[in-house]
Amino acid sequence: MRRAVRALCIAVAATAAIATGLAAPSLSPAGASTATATSRSQEWGAAEEQAFVDKINQLRASLGLPTLAVDPELAAQARVWSQTMKDAGNIFHSKALDAGISADWEKLGENVGVGDTVDALFDAFVNSPKHYENLVDPSFRFIGVGVVWDGGRMFTAHRFMALMPPAPAPTATNSRPSTTPRTAAPAEPAPDELAATEPPAAEPAAPSPPPPTVPPASPERVALILDTIDDLLD
């Protein structure tokens, strides 16, 4: 819905701005021959369409602006509108500049005019401030020009387009909180591994301390003991 509202506002703004200075009235020379008028009746002006594109791009290049690429859909719609104006016998602006456009556009513009030569009409566009804004708008990148002859005069419509800027690339973000790396504990051996594992060898027991050494009895003590034993025997 927002895309449709923006498109309507842009199209209306472009139409209102351009309509304040409709390009050049008919500029047919007074001495135009009837034969020329008859031969060009109901004729598409492919050569004139390319001549308009070349002149517009020369103007933009002289100002350091990017040149415009011809968009097939814009060109087709410009031709349709040129024929519509020719059939009406008058020049006026479309109220639906986005008709027939499938591109993801951001801005559209239109210049329309009627005259007898490319040079005369181009000069009229350049000298009209509102038409000139479309010619040198730095945001425009595409153009479509339609020309249809009606006798000795041409009806022409120029469509301009700027595309929507590309969406920014998504920035990768890690929503998970950072955690300190953990070291995995060693895996417990399987039961059969436990059974097959020999128990560690027992450490050798410490040697027993030697028995205490009894000092030998003195001779006097031995004699006393012997006397005592003899007395007991008597």
Side-chain angles (χ1 to χ4, degrees):
M1 182 61 181
R2 292 181 59 191
R3 177 71 171 82
V5 171
R6 182 169 65 246
L8 178 60
C9 292
I10 292 172
V12 171
T15 302
I18 301 167
T20 58
L22 292 176
S26 177
L27 299 173
S28 300
S33 66
T34 304
T36 301
T38 303
S39 64
R40 284 184 169 178
S41 179
Q42 304 290 336
E43 180 184 346
W44 292 109
E48 290 78 12
E49 291 169 356
Q50 186 59 52
F52 275 120
V53 172
D54 292 342
K55 282 184 168 294
I56 292 170
N57 279 335
Q58 289 169 7
L59 171 65
R60 292 175 66 91
S62 70
L63 299 174
L65 298 173
T67 56
L68 303 177
V70 175
D71 180 83
E73 291 181 341
L74 289 177
Q77 293 304 312
R79 279 190 164 190
V80 168
W81 196 248
S82 297
Q83 183 66 47
T84 299
M85 294 188 297
K86 173 196 165 295
D87 292 342
N90 193 17
I91 55 174
F92 50 97
H93 287 285
S94 170
K95 295 181 179 180
L97 295 182
D98 59 337
I101 306 302
S102 62
D104 187 18
W105 59 270
E106 182 182 34
K107 184 178 182 181
L108 297 172
E110 180 184 63
N111 286 347
V112 297
V114 59
D116 63 340
T117 67
V118 171
D119 289 341
L121 277 170
F122 180 75
D123 290 344
F125 287 139
V126 171
N127 292 327
S128 168
K130 294 301 180 181
H131 291 85
Y132 186 74
E133 288 179 10
N134 281 337
L135 297 176
V136 299
D137 189 322
S139 67
F140 287 142
R141 291 292 188 275
F142 298 93
I143 189 173
V145 176
V147 170
V148 60
W149 285 96
D150 181 26
R153 62 178 184 171
M154 70 176 80
F155 285 85
T156 185
H158 302 179
R159 297 284 178 88
F160 304 87
M161 178 172 67
L163 296 179
M164 292 288 290
T171 304
T173 57
N174 185 6
S175 59
R176 298 177 60 186
S178 59
T179 57
T180 304
R182 295 180 298 177
T183 304
E188 293 290 339
D192 57 340
E193 293 178 351
L194 287 174
T197 303
E198 295 183 0
E203 297 182 1
S208 302
T213 304
V214 179
S218 61
E220 294 81 3
R221 183 175 179 80
V222 171
L224 179 60
I225 294 172
L226 291 175
D227 291 342
T228 302
I229 294 172
D230 288 342
D231 292 341
L232 291 175
L233 295 175
D234 289 340

